[in-house]
Amino acid sequence: MAMQDSPAKTIRVRDKGPWRRRMWMWIVAAGLDVYILGFVIGLQPSGPLCGSPLLRESHAAELIGLQKAGIGAAAVCYKNIDADSVPVWTLMAVGVFLVMAGVAVRIVSIRRSASLD
């Protein structure tokens, strides 16, 4: 009497819910939102005569500085712009990081589903 192994049982992977299937889209969307928020904040002027962190043109402050014999209006504007640019570039960097993380989650989920099949 010969012994036989039972045929291998295939285990069906439980279907993931819609949140887990589309999680990467939510991460990418959040990243794009944060990036756009940083861009919009970066276009806001840093002062009444100053430019913005993304558009550093402060011609009005430079002209007033020249007319009033060096009161330093342009220097103050550029200091304000430099101080305001830190959160702007941080938001934009976080947005890019979230987009890249969402793409990485998508790649990992594709590879996992391909290896399970």
Side-chain angles (χ1 to χ4, degrees):
M1 178 166 233
M3 293 183 65
Q4 292 181 344
D5 288 342
S6 63
K9 294 182 182 177
T10 58
I11 299 173
R12 188 82 178 150
V13 178
R14 188 175 59 150
D15 189 28
K16 294 187 267 183
W19 168 251
R20 292 202 47 181
R21 278 184 287 165
R22 302 290 182 224
M23 180 176 56
W24 69 276
M25 285 185 185
W26 290 105
I27 295 172
V28 169
L32 288 173
D33 289 345
V34 171
Y35 183 81
I36 290 170
L37 177 68
F39 188 77
V40 168
I41 291 173
L43 291 176
Q44 301 300 315
S46 295
L49 300 174
C50 301
S52 65
L54 296 179
L55 300 172
R56 300 177 68 88
E57 305 297 325
S58 296
H59 295 298
E62 292 171 2
L63 289 175
I64 286 181
L66 290 174
Q67 288 176 351
K68 302 267 182 164
I71 61 171
V76 171
C77 274
Y78 288 123
K79 268 188 196 176
N80 289 340
I81 290 171
D82 287 341
D84 290 344
S85 67
V86 173
V88 168
W89 288 109
T90 303
L91 279 173
M92 292 175 82
V94 167
V96 168
F97 174 76
L98 283 173
V99 169
M100 290 172 49
V103 171
V105 166
R106 178 64 177 157
I107 291 170
V108 168
S109 67
I110 288 172
R111 288 191 181 197
R112 279 191 182 171
S113 66
S115 68
L116 292 177
D117 290 340

